[in-house]
Amino acid sequence: MKYLNSLLLAIPLSIFLHLSDNSPVLIFLTACLSIIPLSGYMGKATEEIAIYVGPRVGGLLNATFGNAAELIITIFALKAGLLEVVKASITGSIIGNLLLVLGLSMLLGGFKYKTQKFNRAVAVMHTSMLLMAVTGLIIPAVFLNTHSNPAAEPLSLGVAAILMLVYLLSLIFSLHTHKDVFRPSQESSDKPKWSKLKSFTILLIATFFVVIESEFLVAGIEPVVKTLGISELFIGVIVIPIIGNAAEHSTSVIMALKNKMDISLEIAIGSSTQIALFVAPLLVFIGYSMGQPLDFLFTSYELIVIIMATVITAIISMDGRSNWLEGAQLLAAYSIMALAFLFV
Amino acid sequence: MKYLNSLLLAIPLSIFLHLSDNSPVLIFLTACLSIIPLSGYMGKATEEIAIYVGPRVGGLLNATFGNAAELIITIFALKAGLLEVVKASITGSIIGNLLLVLGLSMLLGGFKYKTQKFNRAVAVMHTSMLLMAVTGLIIPAVFLNTHSNPAAEPLSLGVAAILMLVYLLSLIFSLHTHKDVFRPSQESSDKPKWSKLKSFTILLIATFFVVIESEFLVAGIEPVVKTLGISELFIGVIVIPIIGNAAEHSTSVIMALKNKMDISLEIAIGSSTQIALFVAPLLVFIGYSMGQPLDFLFTSYELIVIIMATVITAIISMDGRSNWLEGAQLLAAYSIMALAFLFV
Amino acid sequence: MKYLNSLLLAIPLSIFLHLSDNSPVLIFLTACLSIIPLSGYMGKATEEIAIYVGPRVGGLLNATFGNAAELIITIFALKAGLLEVVKASITGSIIGNLLLVLGLSMLLGGFKYKTQKFNRAVAVMHTSMLLMAVTGLIIPAVFLNTHSNPAAEPLSLGVAAILMLVYLLSLIFSLHTHKDVFRPSQESSDKPKWSKLKSFTILLIATFFVVIESEFLVAGIEPVVKTLGISELFIGVIVIPIIGNAAEHSTSVIMALKNKMDISLEIAIGSSTQIALFVAPLLVFIGYSMGQPLDFLFTSYELIVIIMATVITAIISMDGRSNWLEGAQLLAAYSIMALAFLFV
């Protein structure tokens, strides 16, 4: 977190560059950098507030605002009509959490401990949930093929509604009927470190700046595409998810280094599931209400990486053990995908 | 079963509507309703006879006539040249058993018991068999692409022969060399409730009426497509499998409520496997002998739902435990697929 | 091995046919037959040398030259510009090892022992590695679609570099950091049977003749395609991998008959992984250095069989047990694929 804090300097810098009408590419870069620590503070403050309000509501809070920074960025992208960027960043969040975050956690954790163990039942539960969610994301694209299909809107809305319903059911499951199964993750947050007032103030300030920086970032996408020759798809799949989740990622790695792989897995797989079951459907609803018809018709590139990432994670987490080589495999799969998106 | 019995009233109704040359849509609907209890009686009678003839021949009987009602419907569809409906109903039976039946069983069973356990080894055995069968269904479509390919006939017949051979081997496995592994499912049928004569009489009568109602149903498909605007694909994938398997489905749910998840799993996954390894190849053979060249070239919609349903079931059944949320996930996946077929 | 030795007679025969300018089809067939025992001697000699140089370097040797015969054949095919044959034989080696070799081992081993057990953790480790490698093979084809895409070269080279790096890491893992996990496979080769000199001499002679016969074989591919009407794809996917791996396959079956399923699995899955992570990238590098731009754009036929074979193997090996029916399933999946390649 210490290293991340220095990135906060990017906030005034980006605002200065914006006010002085400087290069949009520079504004884009500083906005990216500033979102990294800001999303960390949003997450930390949410966790603190979650402790004050008790496990039920707290769990709900964490689940709902866990991907808040990313949600804000994508809402701005949606508003700007960058529908492909929005879908790309949904894709990127899923594969980033599954391959990059989990891979880094297993690799670094595996350097310290020869074999790390985790609860296989919980891993299977997360994985099966993810697989179901992925089915929802895949089916519309396979069935409709083209955006101009008049069924794209009703089918996307219908699928979004089903996914959201499953998300609500999963909250009831993990916070109510089977809350004992998820105990390990709650251990780590017993005593609050910040006062209530401090938590709320930080959450408010961090959210305020994330909103501003997200607007800068989204405004910079087109200039960056033109100037640097990187595709929108690459920015959506690789860049946005990394900056939106960086703080969360570092938590996952830290837990792996403490040999608490259950928490690492929950962050990585749980976060992917949340993107697919909650953020993606929410964006579809917001999109249609805004007149920006975001559908679930992902490109075949996106579909294949989501499927492969899900299956690899399922197989790797199925035996309840991890080691550094499994981490390296996940990172290698991520690198291959990132490389491929660079060339599309 | 009590509730299902009242549906028997649909038999005279459908015959009356047919004789009075009434709306084909109404005849279709009454035929659908009447097949639900009839297929139940066929299944029950087969089980009773199976007890009299001993476990070997009985197991063979159950395995062969387990999907008899559906086989009769699809043979009539085949005779009528509705090849796409036949393939759609093969698809629908597989995903219906895996997602709808198993999902409902896990959901309702999970409401009663927090966590239900089942034999992981048996589940893996069924799943691997299913996966192999699914490979057989997928390969021809991926390799040949188009029905006009002259290789469609020999490849489909060859694949059908291989699948049928594996089916025979699996019978030798479960009834002879490894029959002890499958014990749980035979426990439930120790003492016959019907006399031999009663069993045979009921089987004969039920089969007779299933034949009649299947003819009504198939004759009604085209009028229903035109009048109600539902696609043939939807009727094949969703409607026919539900009515053909309804009675069987209720058995699976009842077993789940008795916390006998092993039997639920065997009904759901085993039935899907039987469709893929026995019913589908048999239909291909019957088709070619009838001059109705049914091939294994499923549509890409059908392929993707079969693959996703198989993989989800494999992952969910791999840990030997189930809960209500896993049931809800399977049902959600089924709903998304059904919704998608509605829009194609 | 006794039966295989008689095939050595095919060496002088093929040379005689070649010198007397006989039918290229006959030369092709005798070359095929002669490579079977030769690759066996190459493998055996490598194993013997491996014992002399100690476990580390020995493991490295076995890993690197394990697929030497096949590598030599494919390099000749590469030199002859038969790029599709090269890719087909990469595909064929993967599915051949996973389905044919493992299937035969499980079937024959299962006839002798009712249920055979193996180390699940090791199986999962091999499978996850394979899955990662498969991702590397799949992604370029899905992203680029067509060979004329200018990105085919850099993307293929980049992916090859990543796969090769993971291969090096896996050697560090299995020979250094986690070498205890792989113990069972080293047990079987404690004492050398051949002297050092004998081992080196045999390796040299066998390699020499494999080089000659590979040239005959590759030269015969086109005439065989024209004369017998078998496609290049079929020769690459089915014929070359079977003759290149026959000796290795017999070792796997022998181990299964000795109830050492761990070794069978390691040979079958490990060999597939090695093809994907080491042989395939190496061929890409050699190809570009030769001016034969071998890329990773496999056909959709190849992709689907690689994916299906990997998933089936993953599911079947996940429970740590095997029986004859699982072997039969793998063989059936292989037969269906071989049949399909015959018709393309």
Side-chain angles (χ1 to χ4, degrees), chain A residues 120 124 128-129 131-132 135-136 139 142-143 151 154-155 158-159 162-163 166 169-170 173 177-178 180 314 318, chain B residues 114 120 300-301 304-305 308 311-312 315-316 318-319 323-325 328-329 332-333 335-337 339-341 343-344:
Chain A
R120 214 152 55 88
V124 168
S128 67
M129 184 61 108
L131 211 57
M132 188 259 122
T135 305
I139 294 287
V142 176
F143 274 72
L155 182 54
V159 169
I162 295 172
L163 293 179
V166 174
L169 293 176
S170 79
F173 183 85
T177 71
H178 288 64
D180 49 316
M318 201 125 280
Chain B
K114 192 167 181 182
R120 214 152 55 88
S300 60
Y301 314 131
I304 195 79
V305 298
M308 293 307 300
V311 174
I312 296 178
I315 300 289
I316 280 190
M318 200 126 278
D319 66 343
N323 54 55
W324 69 263
L325 186 61
Q329 288 169 13
S335 314
I336 289 172
M337 292 173 185
L339 194 67
F341 276 110
F343 284 115
V344 167

Short mmCIF file of all heavy atoms in Angstrom, two decimals, chain A residues 120 124 128-129 131-132 135-136 139 142-143 151 154-155 158-159 162-163 166 169-170 173 177-178 180 314 318, chain B residues 114 120 300-301 304-305 308 311-312 315-316 318-319 323-325 328-329 332-333 335-337 339-341 343-344:
data_model
loop_
_atom_site.label_atom_id
_atom_site.label_comp_id
_atom_site.label_asym_id
_atom_site.label_seq_id
_atom_site.Cartn_x
_atom_site.Cartn_y
_atom_site.Cartn_z
N ARG A 120 -11.13 -27.31 -0.97
CA ARG A 120 -11.55 -27.72 -2.29
C ARG A 120 -13.05 -27.49 -2.52
O ARG A 120 -13.46 -27.08 -3.61
CB ARG A 120 -11.27 -29.22 -2.45
CG ARG A 120 -10.87 -29.63 -3.82
CD ARG A 120 -9.99 -30.85 -3.72
NE ARG A 120 -10.65 -31.91 -2.98
CZ ARG A 120 -11.46 -32.81 -3.56
NH1 ARG A 120 -11.69 -32.77 -4.84
NH2 ARG A 120 -12.02 -33.75 -2.84
N VAL A 124 -14.62 -25.41 -5.57
CA VAL A 124 -15.56 -25.97 -6.55
C VAL A 124 -16.83 -25.13 -6.60
O VAL A 124 -17.39 -24.88 -7.66
CB VAL A 124 -15.88 -27.45 -6.22
CG1 VAL A 124 -17.05 -27.93 -7.04
CG2 VAL A 124 -14.67 -28.32 -6.47
N SER A 128 -18.04 -23.49 -10.00
CA SER A 128 -19.27 -23.87 -10.68
C SER A 128 -20.14 -22.64 -10.90
O SER A 128 -20.80 -22.49 -11.92
CB SER A 128 -20.03 -24.94 -9.88
OG SER A 128 -20.48 -24.41 -8.67
N MET A 129 -20.12 -21.72 -9.93
CA MET A 129 -20.85 -20.47 -10.07
C MET A 129 -20.31 -19.69 -11.27
O MET A 129 -21.08 -19.18 -12.09
CB MET A 129 -20.67 -19.66 -8.79
CG MET A 129 -21.44 -18.39 -8.75
SD MET A 129 -23.21 -18.71 -8.85
CE MET A 129 -23.68 -18.32 -7.17
N LEU A 131 -18.75 -20.84 -13.85
CA LEU A 131 -19.07 -21.56 -15.08
C LEU A 131 -20.49 -21.26 -15.52
O LEU A 131 -20.77 -21.09 -16.72
CB LEU A 131 -18.92 -23.06 -14.82
CG LEU A 131 -18.49 -23.90 -15.99
CD1 LEU A 131 -17.18 -23.40 -16.54
CD2 LEU A 131 -18.33 -25.34 -15.54
N MET A 132 -21.41 -21.21 -14.56
CA MET A 132 -22.80 -20.91 -14.87
C MET A 132 -22.90 -19.49 -15.43
O MET A 132 -23.58 -19.24 -16.43
CB MET A 132 -23.60 -21.04 -13.56
CG MET A 132 -25.08 -20.94 -13.74
SD MET A 132 -25.55 -19.28 -13.26
CE MET A 132 -26.32 -18.72 -14.75
N THR A 135 -21.65 -19.30 -18.90
CA THR A 135 -22.66 -19.79 -19.84
C THR A 135 -23.58 -18.66 -20.26
O THR A 135 -23.90 -18.51 -21.44
CB THR A 135 -23.51 -20.90 -19.17
OG1 THR A 135 -22.62 -21.90 -18.70
CG2 THR A 135 -24.48 -21.51 -20.15
N GLY A 136 -23.98 -17.87 -19.28
CA GLY A 136 -24.86 -16.74 -19.57
C GLY A 136 -24.22 -15.75 -20.52
O GLY A 136 -24.87 -15.20 -21.42
N ILE A 139 -23.86 -17.76 -24.30
CA ILE A 139 -25.03 -18.19 -25.08
C ILE A 139 -25.54 -17.11 -26.05
O ILE A 139 -25.73 -17.39 -27.24
CB ILE A 139 -26.16 -18.65 -24.12
CG1 ILE A 139 -25.71 -19.91 -23.37
CG2 ILE A 139 -27.46 -18.88 -24.85
CD1 ILE A 139 -25.66 -21.18 -24.17
N VAL A 142 -23.40 -16.82 -29.23
CA VAL A 142 -23.45 -17.99 -30.10
C VAL A 142 -24.79 -18.05 -30.84
O VAL A 142 -24.87 -18.43 -32.00
CB VAL A 142 -23.23 -19.28 -29.29
CG1 VAL A 142 -23.39 -20.50 -30.18
CG2 VAL A 142 -21.87 -19.27 -28.64
N PHE A 143 -25.86 -17.64 -30.15
CA PHE A 143 -27.18 -17.78 -30.75
C PHE A 143 -27.51 -16.65 -31.73
O PHE A 143 -28.19 -16.86 -32.71
CB PHE A 143 -28.26 -17.83 -29.66
CG PHE A 143 -28.49 -19.21 -29.14
CD1 PHE A 143 -27.54 -19.82 -28.34
CD2 PHE A 143 -29.63 -19.93 -29.47
CE1 PHE A 143 -27.72 -21.11 -27.86
CE2 PHE A 143 -29.83 -21.22 -29.01
CZ PHE A 143 -28.88 -21.81 -28.20
N ALA A 151 -33.34 -9.61 -31.77
CA ALA A 151 -33.48 -10.32 -30.50
C ALA A 151 -32.37 -10.00 -29.52
O ALA A 151 -32.42 -10.40 -28.36
CB ALA A 151 -33.51 -11.83 -30.76
N PRO A 154 -33.91 -8.05 -26.22
CA PRO A 154 -34.66 -8.84 -25.22
C PRO A 154 -33.84 -10.00 -24.64
O PRO A 154 -33.91 -10.26 -23.44
CB PRO A 154 -35.87 -9.36 -26.01
CG PRO A 154 -35.51 -9.21 -27.46
CD PRO A 154 -34.57 -8.05 -27.54
N LEU A 155 -33.04 -10.66 -25.48
CA LEU A 155 -32.27 -11.79 -24.96
C LEU A 155 -31.23 -11.32 -23.95
O LEU A 155 -31.06 -11.93 -22.88
CB LEU A 155 -31.59 -12.55 -26.11
CG LEU A 155 -30.79 -13.79 -25.71
CD1 LEU A 155 -31.62 -14.77 -24.90
CD2 LEU A 155 -30.22 -14.51 -26.94
N GLY A 158 -33.01 -10.42 -20.77
CA GLY A 158 -33.47 -11.63 -20.09
C GLY A 158 -32.34 -12.35 -19.40
O GLY A 158 -32.45 -12.73 -18.23
N VAL A 159 -31.22 -12.50 -20.12
CA VAL A 159 -30.06 -13.17 -19.53
C VAL A 159 -29.54 -12.37 -18.33
O VAL A 159 -29.22 -12.92 -17.28
CB VAL A 159 -28.95 -13.38 -20.58
CG1 VAL A 159 -27.66 -13.82 -19.94
CG2 VAL A 159 -29.40 -14.40 -21.63
N ILE A 162 -31.66 -13.05 -15.33
CA ILE A 162 -31.40 -14.37 -14.73
C ILE A 162 -30.08 -14.35 -13.95
O ILE A 162 -30.00 -14.84 -12.82
CB ILE A 162 -31.36 -15.47 -15.82
CG1 ILE A 162 -32.75 -15.61 -16.46
CG2 ILE A 162 -30.92 -16.80 -15.23
CD1 ILE A 162 -32.78 -16.53 -17.68
N LEU A 163 -29.04 -13.76 -14.54
CA LEU A 163 -27.74 -13.71 -13.86
C LEU A 163 -27.85 -12.93 -12.55
O LEU A 163 -27.32 -13.35 -11.51
CB LEU A 163 -26.68 -13.06 -14.76
CG LEU A 163 -26.29 -13.84 -16.02
CD1 LEU A 163 -25.25 -13.07 -16.82
CD2 LEU A 163 -25.74 -15.22 -15.66
N VAL A 166 -29.49 -15.00 -9.90
CA VAL A 166 -28.57 -15.98 -9.34
C VAL A 166 -27.60 -15.29 -8.37
O VAL A 166 -27.24 -15.85 -7.33
CB VAL A 166 -27.79 -16.72 -10.44
CG1 VAL A 166 -26.73 -17.62 -9.84
CG2 VAL A 166 -28.73 -17.52 -11.31
N LEU A 169 -29.37 -14.86 -5.17
CA LEU A 169 -29.44 -16.16 -4.49
C LEU A 169 -28.10 -16.52 -3.86
O LEU A 169 -28.05 -17.05 -2.75
CB LEU A 169 -29.86 -17.25 -5.48
CG LEU A 169 -31.28 -17.14 -6.02
CD1 LEU A 169 -31.55 -18.22 -7.06
CD2 LEU A 169 -32.30 -17.24 -4.88
N SER A 170 -27.00 -16.19 -4.58
CA SER A 170 -25.69 -16.55 -4.03
C SER A 170 -25.38 -15.73 -2.78
O SER A 170 -24.67 -16.19 -1.89
CB SER A 170 -24.60 -16.37 -5.09
OG SER A 170 -24.26 -15.00 -5.21
N PHE A 173 -27.17 -17.39 -0.05
CA PHE A 173 -26.43 -18.61 0.26
C PHE A 173 -25.23 -18.32 1.15
O PHE A 173 -25.04 -18.95 2.19
CB PHE A 173 -25.97 -19.25 -1.05
CG PHE A 173 -25.25 -20.56 -0.89
CD1 PHE A 173 -25.96 -21.75 -0.80
CD2 PHE A 173 -23.87 -20.61 -0.87
CE1 PHE A 173 -25.30 -22.97 -0.68
CE2 PHE A 173 -23.20 -21.83 -0.74
CZ PHE A 173 -23.92 -23.00 -0.64
N THR A 177 -27.92 -18.87 4.42
CA THR A 177 -28.12 -20.32 4.63
C THR A 177 -26.82 -21.10 4.82
O THR A 177 -26.80 -22.10 5.52
CB THR A 177 -28.91 -20.98 3.47
OG1 THR A 177 -28.10 -21.03 2.29
CG2 THR A 177 -30.19 -20.23 3.17
N HIS A 178 -25.73 -20.72 4.16
CA HIS A 178 -24.48 -21.49 4.28
C HIS A 178 -23.32 -20.60 4.71
O HIS A 178 -22.20 -20.79 4.25
CB HIS A 178 -24.15 -22.17 2.94
CG HIS A 178 -25.05 -23.34 2.61
ND1 HIS A 178 -26.40 -23.19 2.41
CD2 HIS A 178 -24.79 -24.67 2.47
CE1 HIS A 178 -26.93 -24.37 2.15
NE2 HIS A 178 -25.99 -25.28 2.17
N ASP A 180 -21.54 -20.41 7.24
CA ASP A 180 -20.40 -21.06 7.93
C ASP A 180 -19.34 -21.57 6.95
O ASP A 180 -18.17 -21.66 7.28
CB ASP A 180 -20.90 -22.22 8.78
CG ASP A 180 -21.82 -23.14 7.97
OD1 ASP A 180 -22.69 -22.59 7.25
OD2 ASP A 180 -21.68 -24.36 8.03
N ALA A 314 -10.71 -23.91 -13.20
CA ALA A 314 -11.48 -25.01 -12.61
C ALA A 314 -10.57 -26.21 -12.37
O ALA A 314 -10.57 -26.78 -11.27
CB ALA A 314 -12.64 -25.40 -13.53
N MET A 318 -9.17 -27.59 -8.59
CA MET A 318 -9.96 -28.76 -8.24
C MET A 318 -9.28 -29.68 -7.23
O MET A 318 -9.94 -30.44 -6.53
CB MET A 318 -10.20 -29.54 -9.53
CG MET A 318 -11.35 -30.46 -9.46
SD MET A 318 -12.47 -30.09 -10.81
CE MET A 318 -13.35 -28.67 -10.13
N LYS B 114 -29.04 -29.49 4.20
CA LYS B 114 -28.07 -28.42 3.93
C LYS B 114 -27.06 -28.82 2.86
O LYS B 114 -26.84 -28.09 1.90
CB LYS B 114 -27.33 -28.06 5.22
CG LYS B 114 -26.54 -26.79 5.08
CD LYS B 114 -26.09 -26.26 6.42
CE LYS B 114 -25.33 -24.97 6.21
NZ LYS B 114 -24.81 -24.44 7.46
N ARG B 120 -18.71 -39.88 -5.44
CA ARG B 120 -17.97 -39.13 -6.42
C ARG B 120 -17.48 -40.02 -7.57
O ARG B 120 -17.51 -39.63 -8.74
CB ARG B 120 -16.76 -38.47 -5.76
CG ARG B 120 -16.38 -37.15 -6.30
CD ARG B 120 -15.73 -36.34 -5.21
NE ARG B 120 -14.62 -37.05 -4.64
CZ ARG B 120 -13.37 -36.99 -5.13
NH1 ARG B 120 -13.10 -36.24 -6.17
NH2 ARG B 120 -12.40 -37.65 -4.57
N SER B 300 -24.85 -25.29 -34.48
CA SER B 300 -23.88 -24.77 -33.51
C SER B 300 -24.58 -24.40 -32.20
O SER B 300 -24.00 -24.46 -31.14
CB SER B 300 -23.17 -23.55 -34.10
OG SER B 300 -24.09 -22.54 -34.39
N TYR B 301 -25.87 -24.02 -32.27
CA TYR B 301 -26.63 -23.73 -31.03
C TYR B 301 -26.68 -24.99 -30.17
O TYR B 301 -26.50 -24.96 -28.96
CB TYR B 301 -28.08 -23.33 -31.33
CG TYR B 301 -28.23 -22.35 -32.42
CD1 TYR B 301 -29.15 -22.57 -33.46
CD2 TYR B 301 -27.45 -21.19 -32.46
CE1 TYR B 301 -29.30 -21.65 -34.47
CE2 TYR B 301 -27.60 -20.28 -33.48
CZ TYR B 301 -28.52 -20.51 -34.49
OH TYR B 301 -28.65 -19.62 -35.50
N ILE B 304 -23.22 -25.99 -28.65
CA ILE B 304 -22.74 -25.19 -27.52
C ILE B 304 -23.52 -25.52 -26.25
O ILE B 304 -22.93 -25.63 -25.16
CB ILE B 304 -22.77 -23.67 -27.83
CG1 ILE B 304 -21.94 -22.91 -26.81
CG2 ILE B 304 -24.17 -23.11 -27.83
CD1 ILE B 304 -20.47 -22.96 -27.04
N VAL B 305 -24.83 -25.71 -26.35
CA VAL B 305 -25.58 -26.01 -25.11
C VAL B 305 -25.24 -27.40 -24.58
O VAL B 305 -25.15 -27.61 -23.37
CB VAL B 305 -27.12 -25.83 -25.26
CG1 VAL B 305 -27.45 -24.38 -25.59
CG2 VAL B 305 -27.72 -26.79 -26.26
N MET B 308 -21.75 -26.96 -22.92
CA MET B 308 -21.80 -26.22 -21.66
C MET B 308 -22.50 -27.04 -20.57
O MET B 308 -22.05 -27.08 -19.43
CB MET B 308 -22.53 -24.88 -21.84
CG MET B 308 -21.83 -23.88 -22.72
SD MET B 308 -20.10 -23.50 -22.28
CE MET B 308 -20.27 -22.86 -20.60
N VAL B 311 -20.11 -29.75 -19.32
CA VAL B 311 -19.01 -29.26 -18.50
C VAL B 311 -19.51 -28.77 -17.14
O VAL B 311 -18.91 -29.08 -16.09
CB VAL B 311 -18.23 -28.14 -19.24
CG1 VAL B 311 -17.18 -27.52 -18.33
CG2 VAL B 311 -17.58 -28.68 -20.49
N ILE B 312 -20.62 -28.04 -17.12
CA ILE B 312 -21.16 -27.58 -15.82
C ILE B 312 -21.49 -28.77 -14.93
O ILE B 312 -21.14 -28.80 -13.74
CB ILE B 312 -22.44 -26.73 -16.01
CG1 ILE B 312 -22.12 -25.45 -16.77
CG2 ILE B 312 -23.07 -26.40 -14.68
CD1 ILE B 312 -23.36 -24.60 -17.03
N ILE B 315 -18.30 -30.37 -13.53
CA ILE B 315 -17.67 -29.61 -12.45
C ILE B 315 -18.51 -29.71 -11.17
O ILE B 315 -17.97 -29.92 -10.08
CB ILE B 315 -17.50 -28.13 -12.86
CG1 ILE B 315 -16.61 -27.99 -14.10
CG2 ILE B 315 -16.96 -27.30 -11.70
CD1 ILE B 315 -15.15 -28.30 -13.89
N ILE B 316 -19.81 -29.56 -11.31
CA ILE B 316 -20.67 -29.56 -10.12
C ILE B 316 -20.70 -30.92 -9.44
O ILE B 316 -20.76 -31.02 -8.20
CB ILE B 316 -22.10 -29.08 -10.49
CG1 ILE B 316 -22.12 -27.56 -10.57
CG2 ILE B 316 -23.13 -29.58 -9.48
CD1 ILE B 316 -23.49 -26.94 -10.68
N MET B 318 -18.35 -33.13 -9.44
CA MET B 318 -17.00 -33.62 -9.19
C MET B 318 -16.63 -33.66 -7.71
O MET B 318 -15.74 -34.40 -7.30
CB MET B 318 -16.04 -32.68 -9.91
CG MET B 318 -14.71 -33.29 -10.17
SD MET B 318 -14.36 -33.16 -11.92
CE MET B 318 -15.28 -34.57 -12.53
N ASP B 319 -17.28 -32.85 -6.89
CA ASP B 319 -16.88 -32.82 -5.48
C ASP B 319 -17.74 -33.73 -4.60
O ASP B 319 -17.55 -33.78 -3.39
CB ASP B 319 -16.88 -31.39 -4.94
CG ASP B 319 -18.26 -30.79 -4.91
OD1 ASP B 319 -19.15 -31.34 -5.58
OD2 ASP B 319 -18.46 -29.78 -4.22
N ASN B 323 -25.81 -28.66 -3.05
CA ASN B 323 -26.62 -27.82 -2.18
C ASN B 323 -27.63 -27.08 -3.05
O ASN B 323 -27.58 -27.17 -4.28
CB ASN B 323 -25.73 -26.84 -1.39
CG ASN B 323 -24.84 -26.04 -2.32
OD1 ASN B 323 -25.33 -25.38 -3.24
ND2 ASN B 323 -23.54 -26.10 -2.10
N TRP B 324 -28.53 -26.32 -2.43
CA TRP B 324 -29.59 -25.71 -3.21
C TRP B 324 -29.07 -24.71 -4.23
O TRP B 324 -29.64 -24.55 -5.31
CB TRP B 324 -30.67 -25.09 -2.32
CG TRP B 324 -30.24 -23.86 -1.53
CD1 TRP B 324 -29.82 -23.84 -0.24
CD2 TRP B 324 -30.22 -22.51 -1.99
NE1 TRP B 324 -29.52 -22.56 0.14
CE2 TRP B 324 -29.76 -21.71 -0.91
CE3 TRP B 324 -30.53 -21.88 -3.19
CZ2 TRP B 324 -29.61 -20.33 -1.00
CZ3 TRP B 324 -30.38 -20.50 -3.30
CH2 TRP B 324 -29.93 -19.75 -2.21
N LEU B 325 -27.95 -24.03 -3.92
CA LEU B 325 -27.45 -23.03 -4.85
C LEU B 325 -26.94 -23.68 -6.15
O LEU B 325 -27.14 -23.15 -7.24
CB LEU B 325 -26.33 -22.20 -4.20
CG LEU B 325 -25.83 -21.03 -5.05
CD1 LEU B 325 -26.93 -20.02 -5.34
CD2 LEU B 325 -24.65 -20.33 -4.39
N ALA B 328 -29.85 -24.24 -8.16
CA ALA B 328 -30.31 -22.98 -8.77
C ALA B 328 -29.43 -22.61 -9.96
O ALA B 328 -29.91 -22.09 -10.98
CB ALA B 328 -30.30 -21.87 -7.73
N GLN B 329 -28.13 -22.88 -9.85
CA GLN B 329 -27.22 -22.57 -10.96
C GLN B 329 -27.58 -23.39 -12.20
O GLN B 329 -27.63 -22.86 -13.32
CB GLN B 329 -25.78 -22.89 -10.57
CG GLN B 329 -25.19 -21.93 -9.56
CD GLN B 329 -23.87 -22.44 -9.01
OE1 GLN B 329 -23.29 -23.37 -9.52
NE2 GLN B 329 -23.41 -21.83 -7.94
N ALA B 332 -30.67 -22.04 -13.67
CA ALA B 332 -30.41 -20.76 -14.33
C ALA B 332 -29.78 -20.99 -15.70
O ALA B 332 -30.18 -20.36 -16.70
CB ALA B 332 -29.50 -19.89 -13.47
N ALA B 333 -28.83 -21.92 -15.77
CA ALA B 333 -28.20 -22.22 -17.06
C ALA B 333 -29.25 -22.74 -18.03
O ALA B 333 -29.28 -22.35 -19.21
CB ALA B 333 -27.09 -23.26 -16.87
N SER B 335 -32.50 -22.07 -17.98
CA SER B 335 -33.39 -20.97 -18.36
C SER B 335 -32.75 -20.10 -19.43
O SER B 335 -33.42 -19.67 -20.38
CB SER B 335 -33.70 -20.08 -17.15
OG SER B 335 -34.03 -20.85 -16.04
N ILE B 336 -31.45 -19.83 -19.27
CA ILE B 336 -30.77 -19.00 -20.26
C ILE B 336 -30.80 -19.68 -21.63
O ILE B 336 -31.09 -19.05 -22.65
CB ILE B 336 -29.31 -18.74 -19.81
CG1 ILE B 336 -29.31 -17.79 -18.61
CG2 ILE B 336 -28.48 -18.16 -20.95
CD1 ILE B 336 -27.95 -17.61 -17.96
N MET B 337 -30.56 -20.99 -21.63
CA MET B 337 -30.58 -21.72 -22.91
C MET B 337 -31.98 -21.74 -23.51
O MET B 337 -32.15 -21.51 -24.71
CB MET B 337 -30.07 -23.15 -22.69
CG MET B 337 -28.59 -23.21 -22.34
SD MET B 337 -28.10 -24.89 -21.89
CE MET B 337 -26.39 -24.59 -21.41
N LEU B 339 -34.37 -19.62 -23.06
CA LEU B 339 -34.65 -18.26 -23.53
C LEU B 339 -34.00 -18.03 -24.89
O LEU B 339 -34.62 -17.48 -25.82
CB LEU B 339 -34.08 -17.27 -22.51
CG LEU B 339 -34.52 -15.81 -22.62
CD1 LEU B 339 -35.99 -15.69 -22.30
CD2 LEU B 339 -33.70 -14.93 -21.67
N ALA B 340 -32.76 -18.47 -25.01
CA ALA B 340 -32.04 -18.28 -26.27
C ALA B 340 -32.71 -19.04 -27.41
O ALA B 340 -32.83 -18.52 -28.53
CB ALA B 340 -30.57 -18.69 -26.12
N PHE B 341 -33.18 -20.27 -27.13
CA PHE B 341 -33.84 -21.05 -28.19
C PHE B 341 -35.15 -20.40 -28.61
O PHE B 341 -35.61 -20.58 -29.72
CB PHE B 341 -34.08 -22.50 -27.75
CG PHE B 341 -32.89 -23.38 -27.96
CD1 PHE B 341 -32.17 -23.87 -26.89
CD2 PHE B 341 -32.49 -23.72 -29.24
CE1 PHE B 341 -31.06 -24.69 -27.10
CE2 PHE B 341 -31.39 -24.53 -29.46
CZ PHE B 341 -30.67 -25.02 -28.38
N PHE B 343 -35.55 -17.30 -29.07
CA PHE B 343 -35.28 -16.17 -29.95
C PHE B 343 -34.62 -16.56 -31.27
O PHE B 343 -34.41 -15.71 -32.12
CB PHE B 343 -34.39 -15.14 -29.24
CG PHE B 343 -35.13 -14.32 -28.24
CD1 PHE B 343 -34.85 -14.40 -26.88
CD2 PHE B 343 -36.14 -13.46 -28.65
CE1 PHE B 343 -35.54 -13.64 -25.95
CE2 PHE B 343 -36.84 -12.69 -27.72
CZ PHE B 343 -36.54 -12.78 -26.38
N VAL B 344 -34.25 -17.83 -31.39
CA VAL B 344 -33.55 -18.20 -32.63
C VAL B 344 -34.53 -18.33 -33.79
O VAL B 344 -35.53 -19.01 -33.66
CB VAL B 344 -32.77 -19.52 -32.43
CG1 VAL B 344 -32.32 -20.05 -33.79
CG2 VAL B 344 -31.56 -19.26 -31.57
#
